[in-house]
Amino acid sequence: MSQMPQQAALPKCPSCAEPLEPGDLFCGACGYDLSAVPAPPADQPTLTMTGAPDGDVDWPEPEPATTGGTEPRAHRAADVPGTDSGGTPLLAPEPAASGVRFDRPAEAREPAEPEEYPLQAPDPRAESPAQVCVACRAGRVDGDGYCENCGHAQPRERDHMERESGPVAAISDRGLRHHRNEDDFAVAHTALPDGTPAALAVVCDGVSSATRPDEASTAASRAAADVLLAALPRGTHPQTAMHEAIVAAAKAVDALAETPDGAREHAPHQNAPACTIVASVVASGLLVVGWVGDSRAYWVPDDRSAPPARLTEDDSWAAQMVAAGLMSEAEAYADERAHAITGWLGADAYELEPHTASFKPDRAGVVLVCTDGLWNYAEAPVEMAEVLPPDAATRPLHAGRVLVGHALDAGGHDNVTVAVVPFPTPPQGAGSA
């Protein structure tokens, strides 16, 4: 078997200066290949490293091993500026720390222990700053939404809501007198099976004398909108879909009254959650409205020379008096019993009688779907048309803000909610309303 030529034994590793045993081919400490070390030449003086005129560096011969007490120093490539075989600049060696040897492989090195461990700055998002009262600007707000200093209730997310969906927009505001907003709404747009666009709006007014009226209006508006969004794309006639939506809304409100027996024992005199509802669908030249209670829908044409109209009839004491011929409209609505409703959604309501109606306007306009918090300040259709901006069809959200602002400026005694549903120019051949 062929053997590699043997070299004279070295007393110490020329790389790390560790003692070597006779016959070692590699350094046990750093793994240095001892077979690549040439035989020590004759004793020569140490040479300094100088740059050659052409920019090259003259490498010195390795320092010989000595026996006079001075240990040899092995030069490494990183001791001087230069590049590796691939042309990459060599990095200068890092200063050696106590107990650390940089001639070992990187994975074998132990990092120096830092004197101090820096602490990470706290994340400002981890804890939100304490909310300050909007009334006194000094007190902190507790978990229930009241100021610990002045006791003022803070605005809730539901106090003012704005939403857009395609061509439809709606706004709801708590008003200036109520401590919470018991109204709610839903707006959406979809398409009929033939691709014709359809827009819808649902507005619900919680009955304040009932339990949890805000939950009732939310449950009803969402249930009605869900049914309409499911029925219209299937090709269900909008008026039929409207009837189904009101029935579904009534069931959703009824379900809120299903409380445990223990809860009934603690509050036996509470009324079941209740609300009113009014909704509108605009699709394929058809305008459909549905309602239970005293929330209303108005029609206002873009051509203000044409008369506006109210599309719903209230389920209220005043409306009954007028329908029976016992009082004029002015007399009935001046009575303190005028706004007592005779129809509503709720487990303790009378037999449910959803009202629906279909219209085919012969011109473009908008449908206003609103609670009495708005129409109390613009009851007649002409009054509502006067408040509505002329560009309501193209800027429905702006129009809704104007209407809500009108109610607030006039006193804002109730929650105010309105949805603006544009009715585009009907196709040729559509009949009149």
Side-chain angles (χ1 to χ4, degrees), residues 299-304 306 361-367 393 421-426:
W299 160 255
V300 180
D302 290 347
D303 180 6
R304 298 303 171 87
D362 60 354
R363 64 198 67 200
V366 295
V367 184
V421 188
F423 183 89
T425 302

Side-chain angles (χ1 to χ4, degrees), residues 28-89:
C30 68
Y32 190 85
D33 185 1
L34 301 177
S35 63
V37 180
D43 195 8
Q44 294 182 358
T46 303
L47 302 179
T48 60
M49 305 194 66
T50 58
D54 59 356
D56 293 332
V57 176
D58 288 335
W59 289 91
E61 294 292 336
E63 295 180 0
T66 62
T67 57
T70 302
E71 296 182 356
R73 177 180 182 276
H75 295 286
R76 295 182 295 274
D79 288 343
V80 293
T83 61
D84 61 15
S85 59
T88 303

Side-chain angles (χ1 to χ4, degrees), residues 221-321:
S221 61
R222 292 180 179 177
D226 289 345
V227 169
L228 291 172
L229 286 174
L232 293 174
R234 291 199 305 260
T236 305
H237 190 281
Q239 191 166 356
T240 302
M242 181 65 72
H243 185 277
E244 295 174 354
I246 295 177
V247 172
K251 292 180 179 179
V253 178
D254 290 350
L256 297 177
E258 298 175 0
T259 56
D261 294 338
R264 294 181 184 275
E265 293 177 1
H266 289 87
H269 303 295
Q270 288 187 346
N271 296 328
C275 69
T276 67
I277 186 171
V278 61
S280 177
V281 171
V282 169
S284 190
L286 193 65
L287 192 169
V288 176
V289 294
W291 74 97
V292 173
D294 62 347
S295 293
R296 294 180 175 179
Y298 289 84
W299 160 255
V300 180
D302 290 347
D303 180 6
R304 298 303 171 87
S305 63
R310 197 175 93 194
L311 306 178
T312 58
E313 294 292 337
D314 299 342
D315 289 323
S316 67
W317 180 89
Q320 283 189 343
M321 293 299 102

Side-chain angles (χ1 to χ4, degrees), residues 334-408:
D335 194 283
E336 62 181 6
R337 297 166 291 181
H339 293 284
I341 57 176
T342 58
W344 62 89
L345 304 182
D348 58 355
Y350 301 124
E351 184 178 354
L352 179 65
E353 295 183 4
H355 310 293
T356 62
S358 296
F359 305 89
K360 288 187 176 181
D362 60 354
R363 64 198 67 200
V366 295
V367 184
L368 303 179
V369 185
C370 64
T371 61
D372 59 347
L374 171 60
W375 65 254
N376 276 331
Y377 302 105
E379 185 173 348
V382 175
E383 295 175 327
M384 190 69 74
E386 290 176 350
V387 180
L388 186 69
D391 59 351
T394 56
R395 301 176 64 195
L397 184 61
H398 168 73
R401 290 170 178 167
V402 171
L403 293 171
V404 171
H406 171 78
L408 297 179

